[in-house]
Amino acid sequence: MTKRSVEILDVTLRDGSHSMKHAFTKEQVRETAKGLDKAKVNYFEVSHGDGLGGSSLQYGLSLVDELELIEVAASVCEYSKISVLLLPGIGTKNDLNDAVKAGAKMVRVATHITEADVAKQHIELGRELGLKTVGFLMMAHMAPVEKLVEQAKLFESYGAEVVYVTDSAGALLPHEVTERITALKNELSCEIGFHGHNNLSMAMANTVAAVQAGATYIDGSLRALGAGSGNTQTEVMVAVLEKMGYNTGIDLYSIIDVANDVVAQYMPRPQEINGSSLIMGYSGVYSSFLLHTEKAAKRFGIDERDILIELGRMQAVGGQEDLIYEVAAKIAHNSSNTHTEAPIS
Amino acid sequence: MTKRSVEILDVTLRDGSHSMKHAFTKEQVRETAKGLDKAKVNYFEVSHGDGLGGSSLQYGLSLVDELELIEVAASVCEYSKISVLLLPGIGTKNDLNDAVKAGAKMVRVATHITEADVAKQHIELGRELGLKTVGFLMMAHMAPVEKLVEQAKLFESYGAEVVYVTDSAGALLPHEVTERITALKNELSCEIGFHGHNNLSMAMANTVAAVQAGATYIDGSLRALGAGSGNTQTEVMVAVLEKMGYNTGIDLYSIIDVANDVVAQYMPRPQEINGSSLIMGYSGVYSSFLLHTEKAAKRFGIDERDILIELGRMQAVGGQEDLIYEVAAKIAHNSSNTHTEAPIS
């Protein structure tokens, strides 16, 4: 009595790039790719953490060009196929053409949850190039379900074969994942995917909720290596899904081996949930705000967590970093009023 | 619209003793206790990892006598009360009397899931001494629900005010927790608790499932410090339960502060899910088997994971370590047959 199959896509060599400060070496990529191939992972992703073309002063310079890393990974795989991430505005159509020459067989075009329309030409190019083509809606917790469905339908209309709900800040809880995946299953014909982060220690539970609601593509990372508190841990997910009767097609011992014998050996530190990443998940604010928030908190002599939680409440998005100082000033002002004025009874 | 209250019991200074190799110092205990007290945690536990009297060659010698640690913790608390763990056979009634003199206000009497009857006199003593008295059913995944209910009823009949489902191996999945807590809520009148481990990355999801099914006592550990892959992470649990509308009575910032500024500073390494702890959760085998299994695997030239999974299938329990070599021999024999005999077509 085998339940249906689930496609696990491993993002160690892309989301893990954040934890590695974009310093993956060819040797690390080669050994990880070999291990993923041996374990029979269908697709794994290789790109700068912020996608093709991400290597920059703003997003962090890669130690080794991602095209070389894609080539190395593709060269050692007999079974696995390489995916690349592309954020329109960071990566270009040229970058995608180059990645395909280097060996990529899948593209995931990623936009903010409300911005799917910027992905049209990249999705279309992916299909033209014969790639498996995926839409990736980031910061999915920031929009109501109806908005998510609307944006996912745009991706589908452009030709995406899979649309992902991407919990970039690790802010979703299982019942919220169930609600979102169920809505997409009801309203779209393409396959649905889920990408989780562990900021609230819910990556695995969210993943299982997504699968139970009908998602067929699921992201994971070996040893959870990834941004924030890391991703759903691939090798644990294989064990859990197998225990629940799903078919992942991945060999459990081999995937544990590459996690322990390869990735655990090079990762700079274990992924954990610390104070900052917890508050990110709790407030739903993206990591790019963290550094500025610390500075603003110091300047105004307030707790940075108050700023992050207020930014989350306001649904601040990347690019609105100026808001940080406004919010900090307001909190400092209110707090000094509280201290100096008589309480209203 | 506040949902019902949930009592979070912190076990950093008891389950965390395993990760600390039982080497907690007075200073570490003092600072952790201060932080828990400031965050308004009602109860936290201080004992050797294997409970009162656990300091021994077999279970690991404590660096500092647990009675001294209990005294130190109690001396700095204005709000929090100290719990102690007692495994009959390891700890004695004398140990409990001493712990009460040192400041303990709660006892949790722990037995294997099928052995509640050995706890009668200790539960009765706890009540006599005026302690909050709790029954703790360990390795709860190893018995069917009916057995769990039967054993929990024994605890209740002896006078336990709370009975815990204890997922010692981190082997339960959320739907299994729901089933167990629901059965206990239906069949018992006392309060129900849940203690989770993170071997399958499900500690938080299991905890939420337990609360939703009616559990009112929940264990957690700061930075997840505990045996195996660690426990449900206390400070994350406070954030998640608050986000879901439960009232924990614990101050979020203060509990994050003690996790980051105290515990993270002394823990020897972050808690993570590695190959061994994952297989423990997957197979449902207790950690005491790990060391012998490695030796047996080497001797017979086989994969230790095959031994652990077979032991889990056989539901081997502590004390049955001799089984390890029998199982290893059988696996080696079968595997050599497979290699030398012609396949049956």
Side-chain angles (χ1 to χ4, degrees):
Chain A
M1 191 203 67
T2 304
K3 285 195 198 173
R4 68 179 164 70
S5 292
V6 177
E7 192 74 67
I8 294 179
L9 190 152
D10 188 86
V11 298
T12 310
L13 297 175
R14 199 277 305 163
D15 215 320
S17 167
H18 292 294
S19 292
M20 298 291 291
K21 297 193 194 301
H22 315 295
F24 272 123
T25 65
K26 285 190 195 181
E27 186 60 19
Q28 289 165 347
V29 168
R30 181 182 297 115
E31 293 309 308
T32 309
K34 275 187 196 170
L36 290 165
D37 188 65
K38 187 177 173 205
K40 300 239 180 298
V41 172
N42 234 337
Y43 288 100
F44 64 86
E45 195 157 82
V46 185
S47 308
H48 183 280
D50 296 288
L52 295 177
S55 179
S56 60
L57 285 177
Q58 191 181 354
Y59 297 108
L61 288 166
S62 298
L63 179 68
V64 179
D65 189 297
E66 60 195 343
L67 294 174
E68 288 184 57
L69 298 179
I70 293 167
E71 271 174 15
V72 166
S75 74
V76 295
C77 288
E78 291 178 9
Y79 180 89
S80 305
K81 294 178 285 288
I82 313 294
S83 164
V84 291
L85 186 74
L86 172 65
L87 277 72
I90 298 178
T92 63
K93 292 198 278 182
N94 277 346
D95 290 325
L96 183 55
N97 280 309
D98 290 343
V100 170
K101 283 176 206 147
K105 302 289 184 198
M106 172 191 274
V107 63
R108 305 205 298 173
V109 183
T111 75
H112 185 70
I113 179 70
T114 53
E115 313 295 319
D117 58 342
V118 305
K120 183 168 188 288
Q121 53 183 326
H122 305 86
I123 293 281
E124 287 170 354
L125 177 61
R127 293 301 299 266
E128 261 173 59
L129 292 168
L131 301 173
K132 182 90 181 178
T133 303
V134 178
F136 205 68
L137 285 164
M138 299 187 293
M139 298 294 275
H141 73 284
M142 289 188 74
V145 176
E146 307 71 50
K147 188 74 185 173
L148 170 74
V149 169
E150 171 203 295
Q151 296 291 304
K153 279 185 173 173
L154 284 180
F155 264 130
E156 188 179 38
S157 73
Y158 306 148
E161 296 161 275
V162 188
V163 176
Y164 263 74
V165 174
T166 303
D167 183 20
S168 314
L172 290 174
L173 295 173
H175 67 276
E176 298 169 319
V177 173
T178 300
E179 191 186 5
R180 282 163 173 75
I181 302 289
T182 302
L184 293 183
K185 284 299 289 181
N186 288 340
E187 301 278 342
L188 278 78
S189 322
C190 70
E191 292 191 81
I192 307 301
F194 178 75
H195 173 101
H197 279 272
N198 203 37
N199 300 59
L200 294 177
S201 201
M202 282 297 194
M204 189 63 64
N206 285 344
T207 295
V208 167
V211 169
Q212 288 176 326
T216 44
Y217 273 77
I218 293 291
D219 284 8
S221 185
L222 298 165
R223 284 288 184 131
L225 192 74
S229 303
N231 296 78
T232 316
Q233 196 167 333
T234 301
E235 66 278 20
V236 182
M237 180 164 38
V238 171
V240 167
L241 290 177
E242 198 179 287
K243 225 170 137 81
M244 295 183 75
Y246 291 95
N247 174 29
T248 68
I250 295 176
D251 180 66
L252 179 61
Y253 288 4
S254 299
I255 197 78
I256 292 176
D257 287 341
V258 60
N260 287 355
D261 302 342
V262 181
V263 177
Q265 306 307 313
Y266 65 62
M267 61 197 289
R269 70 192 63 79
Q271 291 289 160
E272 55 185 337
I273 307 173
N274 60 24
S276 308
S277 56
L278 169 54
I279 289 291
M280 258 182 64
Y282 180 72
S283 62
V285 167
Y286 199 57
S287 52
S288 62
F289 283 82
L290 282 180
L291 190 64
H292 292 292
T293 301
E294 277 173 32
K295 285 186 194 161
K298 265 195 196 136
R299 183 164 137 197
F300 288 94
I302 56 177
D303 194 312
E304 67 187 70
R305 295 173 289 200
D306 287 329
I307 307 177
L308 289 168
I309 288 169
E310 179 60 16
L311 288 169
R313 208 192 51 73
M314 296 168 70
Q315 302 221 308
V317 297
Q320 299 183 319
E321 280 77 2
D322 291 347
L323 268 180
I324 295 172
Y325 285 88
E326 283 178 37
V327 165
K330 195 177 73 183
I331 293 170
H333 179 74
N334 290 347
S335 130
S336 82
N337 279 356
T338 311
H339 292 145
T340 55
E341 289 177 19
I344 299 157
S345 58
Chain B
M1 191 202 69
T2 303
K3 285 194 198 174
R4 67 180 164 72
S5 292
V6 176
E7 192 73 67
I8 294 179
L9 190 153
D10 187 85
V11 298
T12 310
L13 297 175
R14 199 276 306 163
D15 215 321
S17 168
H18 292 294
S19 291
M20 299 290 292
K21 297 194 193 303
H22 315 294
F24 271 123
T25 65
K26 285 190 197 181
E27 186 60 20
Q28 289 164 349
V29 167
R30 181 182 299 114
E31 294 308 308
T32 309
K34 274 188 196 169
L36 290 165
D37 188 64
K38 187 177 173 205
K40 300 239 179 300
V41 172
N42 235 335
Y43 287 101
F44 65 86
E45 196 157 82
V46 184
S47 307
H48 184 279
D50 297 288
L52 294 177
S55 179
S56 61
L57 286 177
Q58 191 181 354
Y59 297 107
L61 288 166
S62 298
L63 178 69
V64 179
D65 189 297
E66 60 195 343
L67 293 174
E68 289 184 58
L69 298 180
I70 293 166
E71 272 175 16
V72 166
S75 73
V76 294
C77 287
E78 292 177 10
Y79 179 89
S80 305
K81 296 177 283 289
I82 313 291
S83 165
V84 290
L85 186 74
L86 173 65
L87 279 71
I90 297 178
T92 64
K93 291 197 279 182
N94 278 345
D95 290 325
L96 182 56
N97 280 309
D98 291 343
V100 170
K101 282 176 208 149
K105 302 290 185 199
M106 172 191 274
V107 62
R108 305 205 297 174
V109 183
T111 74
H112 185 72
I113 178 73
T114 54
E115 314 294 319
D117 58 343
V118 305
K120 183 168 187 292
Q121 54 184 324
H122 305 86
I123 293 281
E124 287 169 356
L125 178 60
R127 293 302 298 267
E128 262 172 59
L129 292 168
L131 302 174
K132 181 92 180 177
T133 303
V134 178
F136 205 68
L137 286 165
M138 300 187 292
M139 298 294 276
H141 72 285
M142 290 188 74
V145 176
E146 307 72 48
K147 188 74 185 173
L148 170 73
V149 169
E150 171 203 294
Q151 296 291 304
K153 280 186 173 172
L154 284 179
F155 264 130
E156 187 178 40
S157 74
Y158 305 150
E161 296 161 274
V162 189
V163 177
Y164 262 75
V165 174
T166 304
D167 183 20
S168 315
L172 289 175
L173 295 173
H175 68 277
E176 297 169 320
V177 173
T178 300
E179 192 187 5
R180 281 162 175 75
I181 301 290
T182 303
L184 293 183
K185 285 299 290 180
N186 288 339
E187 302 278 342
L188 278 78
S189 321
C190 69
E191 291 191 81
I192 307 301
F194 177 75
H195 173 101
H197 280 271
N198 203 36
N199 300 59
L200 294 179
S201 200
M202 282 297 192
M204 190 62 66
N206 286 343
T207 294
V208 167
V211 169
Q212 288 177 326
T216 45
Y217 274 78
I218 293 291
D219 285 8
S221 185
L222 298 165
R223 283 289 182 128
L225 193 73
S229 304
N231 295 79
T232 315
Q233 196 167 334
T234 301
E235 68 278 20
V236 183
M237 181 165 38
V238 170
V240 167
L241 290 177
E242 197 178 288
K243 225 171 137 82
M244 295 181 75
Y246 291 96
N247 174 29
T248 68
I250 296 176
D251 180 66
L252 179 61
Y253 288 3
S254 299
I255 198 78
I256 292 177
D257 287 341
V258 60
N260 286 356
D261 301 342
V262 181
V263 178
Q265 307 306 314
Y266 64 63
M267 62 195 289
R269 68 192 65 79
Q271 291 288 160
E272 55 184 339
I273 307 173
N274 61 23
S276 308
S277 56
L278 171 54
I279 289 291
M280 260 181 63
Y282 180 72
S283 63
V285 167
Y286 200 56
S287 52
S288 62
F289 283 83
L290 282 182
L291 189 65
H292 292 291
T293 300
E294 277 174 30
K295 286 186 193 161
K298 266 196 195 134
R299 182 163 139 198
F300 288 94
I302 57 177
D303 194 313
E304 67 189 71
R305 296 174 288 200
D306 287 328
I307 306 177
L308 290 168
I309 288 169
E310 179 60 16
L311 288 168
R313 208 192 51 73
M314 295 169 70
Q315 302 222 309
V317 297
Q320 298 184 321
E321 280 78 1
D322 291 347
L323 267 181
I324 295 171
Y325 285 87
E326 284 177 37
V327 165
K330 197 176 73 182
I331 292 170
H333 180 72
N334 290 346
S335 133
S336 81
N337 279 355
T338 311
H339 293 147
T340 54
E341 290 177 19
I344 297 158
S345 61

